[in-house]
Amino acid sequence: MIYIIPLLMVTVYQIVFKGKWEWVIFFMILFLPAYTAILSITYQATSSVLLTNIFKYLKELVLLLALLSFVLYRKNIFDDGYRLRMTDKLFLFFYLLCAIFLILPIGTADFTTKAVYFKNVVIMGLMYFFGRNTSLKDGEFRIMFLMMMVIFVGAFGLNIFEKITHMHFQNISGYALYNRVINDVEPSGNYGLTWTFETQTTGMRLASFFSDPLDLASSCLIGFSVGLIGYLTSKREQSWLFITIMLCSLGSLFFAASRASFASFFIMLCFIAMIFRLYGLIKLGIMLLLGFVIYVVYFASDDFYYFVVDTLTFENASSMGHLLAWIEAFNQMVIAPLGSGLATSGNASGVTDDLRIGGENQFLIFGVQLGVLGMLLYISILATGIWTAVKAFRKSHDTHLARIAFVAATVKVGLLLPLFTANAELYGFVSWVSWWMIGISVKTYGESKRTVLAR
């Protein structure tokens, strides 16, 4: 409460009384990484389901206040000459399709369940919308990047504490109690949390103050990208700071022990090297990969060696689980190519075991629910958003906007593999913040085109 109440008061003051709806991004950056930890600590300290649920929906409250502030404080809102880009149009078609599935009696879920799921899906588009309309001052951009850097230094520091004490932070924060009472999920695994917090060989997978190790691992892509672009666009005497951020992000990625995010890191490095012409990163990636192979073959423990081998050959239980879920979802898409209805796939709130079909692949999750058309729209949104961010980076003369476009493009590419293996849009911090960055990158590219035409 000491943390969240001042944060909420400052955010509400800026959004409601100052009309600074853009401050929604600052709240999300500071709130979402520790979202589950905040709820767990709140319930453990108060035993109040009501207070915990109030904190649970703070993010939706702030989003609603920001939207109302945008409408009420924006002068001549219909006279802005707003030009829709391809990504805008694809988002509109995607949500039109979602609305059709919400209203029509399609699928086995009831209307309330579908409405809850629809709300969760709308948030990524709302964050994109806010980014699409955001204008921040130089000082505010610096504060935003500083916030993200502090988060990943803090996350790594807590990882070190967890490793030294051989104790998950979630054992202290009351994660298991919160899960059992609020989410009706019984503790599991050797650490009394969930199986996600350990490898198949019972090794610890650390999450710091993030929701779980997978959330931390995916979010580390933002941390590394922020550190890298800061290093590339700052004076040499400041390089130590950004190198520290990159090392902290890599350290947390290692402690989280996520196979998909490890692979995503190398994919992101290759993308950065090719698209942004930083070819030295390919050499770095090859060296790191060779170093990893040598370590696994000659120096790793037998447990880790067979863990890697079983993962690559899909003999690992987790890998096999992914494969079976993909097959189930694909078969359902063959049976119902036009869609089976909202809340029938994935792990979001409202999707029960009785309704769930597949759920280990974000693309297939949308494919099951919204049909082949819905899946293709989602893929097209990602593709056009990434490419527009790349063009925004190349064309922007504003360092802050170029940095955001760089992070937006690289993180979305890095997330492609986690999207194949999880319901990755549920990772609130990396998902929502990166969609906001895609939105502001689309705006940046549009403004650069208008500048060129005006000359």
Side-chain angles (χ1 to χ4, degrees):
M1 291 188 192
I2 295 175
Y3 173 77
I4 194 60
I5 291 178
L7 173 61
L8 180 64
M9 290 176 64
V10 171
T11 303
V12 171
Y13 175 75
Q14 291 291 337
I15 291 176
V16 176
F17 298 103
K18 292 290 187 177
K20 293 282 292 181
W21 53 268
E22 297 95 339
W23 274 56
V24 66
I25 188 60
F26 298 122
F27 178 84
M28 295 303 171
I29 288 173
L30 294 177
F31 181 71
L32 292 175
Y35 171 67
T36 301
I38 290 170
L39 299 184
S40 302
I41 293 171
T42 299
Y43 184 77
Q44 182 175 243
T46 65
S47 298
S48 172
V49 175
L50 176 61
L51 183 60
T52 304
N53 282 328
I54 290 174
F55 279 13
K56 183 177 182 179
Y57 291 103
L58 283 182
K59 58 188 187 302
E60 285 87 354
L61 173 63
V62 170
L63 285 169
L64 180 60
L65 290 176
L67 185 60
L68 291 174
S69 179
F70 172 83
V71 174
L72 296 176
Y73 279 94
R74 187 109 168 181
K75 296 180 180 179
N76 302 319
I77 190 171
F78 297 108
D79 298 330
D80 287 345
Y82 198 83
R83 182 178 176 183
L84 294 178
R85 300 289 171 184
M86 179 56 70
T87 310
D88 302 327
K89 296 174 183 178
L90 290 169
F91 255 119
L92 289 174
F93 282 125
F94 179 77
Y95 284 119
L96 176 62
L97 184 64
C98 288
I100 291 172
F101 274 83
L102 172 65
I103 296 170
L104 297 181
I106 302 173
T108 54
D110 58 62
F111 181 80
T112 302
T113 301
K114 292 196 294 182
V116 171
Y117 190 89
F118 180 77
K119 180 266 297 181
N120 294 333
V121 175
V122 163
I123 290 177
M124 70 177 190
L126 191 56
M127 289 301 295
Y128 169 84
F129 171 80
F130 285 137
R132 188 72 170 81
N133 291 277
T134 289
S135 295
L136 295 177
K137 298 177 182 177
D138 287 350
E140 291 173 322
F141 279 120
R142 282 192 287 270
I143 289 173
M144 184 185 70
F145 278 103
L146 180 61
M147 285 177 176
M148 288 190 280
M149 290 189 286
V150 168
I151 284 170
F152 289 102
V153 171
F156 181 67
L158 187 53
N159 281 151
I160 295 294
F161 171 80
E162 290 176 298
K163 191 68 176 178
I164 292 174
T165 60
H166 198 69
M167 179 188 298
H168 290 92
F169 172 68
Q170 286 69 23
N171 290 124
I172 303 172
S173 68
Y175 175 87
L177 177 64
Y178 162 77
N179 246 0
R180 186 173 70 249
V181 177
I182 305 298
N183 296 329
D184 196 27
V185 176
E186 290 297 323
S188 59
N190 294 289
Y191 299 101
L193 299 170
T194 64
W195 289 107
T196 309
F197 286 85
E198 61 187 270
T199 65
Q200 189 157 328
T201 57
T202 72
M204 293 178 68
R205 299 177 70 184
L206 306 181
S208 189
F209 45 73
F210 282 77
S211 298
D212 58 50
L214 301 179
D215 187 13
L216 171 62
S218 296
S219 298
C220 285
L221 299 176
I222 283 189
F224 183 84
S225 187
V226 167
L228 178 59
I229 192 60
Y231 173 80
L232 294 173
T233 57
S234 298
K235 298 177 181 178
R236 293 302 94 178
E237 56 266 25
Q238 298 175 334
S239 61
W240 65 270
L241 172 62
F242 300 106
I243 292 173
T244 301
I245 303 303
M246 287 188 282
L247 291 176
C248 286
S249 300
L250 287 175
S252 290
L253 180 61
F254 175 79
F255 284 129
S258 168
R259 294 155 297 179
S261 293
F262 270 129
S264 296
F265 172 72
F266 288 103
I267 292 172
M268 189 173 77
L269 282 182
C270 292
F271 174 78
I272 292 171
M274 291 185 293
I275 296 298
F276 301 106
R277 304 182 181 96
L278 302 174
Y279 301 113
L281 288 177
I282 294 181
K283 297 178 182 178
L284 174 62
I286 293 173
M287 289 173 60
L288 289 173
L289 183 60
L290 287 175
F292 178 74
V293 171
I294 292 171
Y295 170 76
V296 170
V297 174
Y298 295 105
F299 302 105
S301 65
D302 288 342
D303 285 343
F304 188 73
Y305 173 82
Y306 287 110
F307 171 73
V308 173
V309 172
D310 289 347
T311 296
L312 296 175
T313 58
F314 280 93
E315 293 180 13
N316 178 280
S318 176
S319 301
M320 183 58 66
H322 291 317
L323 185 60
L324 293 175
W326 297 343
I327 293 172
E328 182 184 9
F330 183 77
N331 286 339
Q332 183 63 26
M333 288 180 62
V334 172
I335 296 170
L338 298 180
S340 300
L342 291 177
T344 56
S345 184
N347 305 309
S349 58
V351 183
T352 64
D353 290 335
D354 295 336
L355 299 175
R356 186 177 294 111
I357 304 169
E360 298 290 334
N361 181 309
Q362 187 67 66
F363 305 104
L364 295 179
I365 287 169
F366 282 134
V368 168
Q369 297 182 83
L370 304 173
V372 176
L373 176 59
M375 183 181 70
L376 292 177
L377 283 172
Y378 177 69
I379 292 172
S380 300
I381 290 169
L382 277 173
T384 58
I386 291 169
W387 185 237
T388 303
V390 170
K391 292 189 287 186
F393 171 77
R394 290 175 175 173
K395 291 183 177 293
S396 178
H397 299 290
D398 185 298
T399 302
H400 298 300
L401 294 175
R403 284 175 172 177
I404 288 177
F406 177 91
V407 176
T410 55
V411 170
K412 282 303 185 188
V413 168
L415 283 174
L416 289 177
L417 192 55
L419 287 171
F420 270 101
T421 59
N423 197 166
E425 292 293 357
L426 292 181
Y427 304 152
F429 174 70
V430 65
S431 173
W432 296 5
V433 172
S434 60
W435 278 121
W436 179 89
M437 289 181 170
I438 289 291
I440 201 169
S441 299
V442 172
K443 178 186 177 184
T444 300
Y445 176 67
E447 290 177 345
S448 68
K449 286 194 68 176
R450 286 197 295 270
T451 300
V452 171
L453 292 174
R455 289 176 181 174

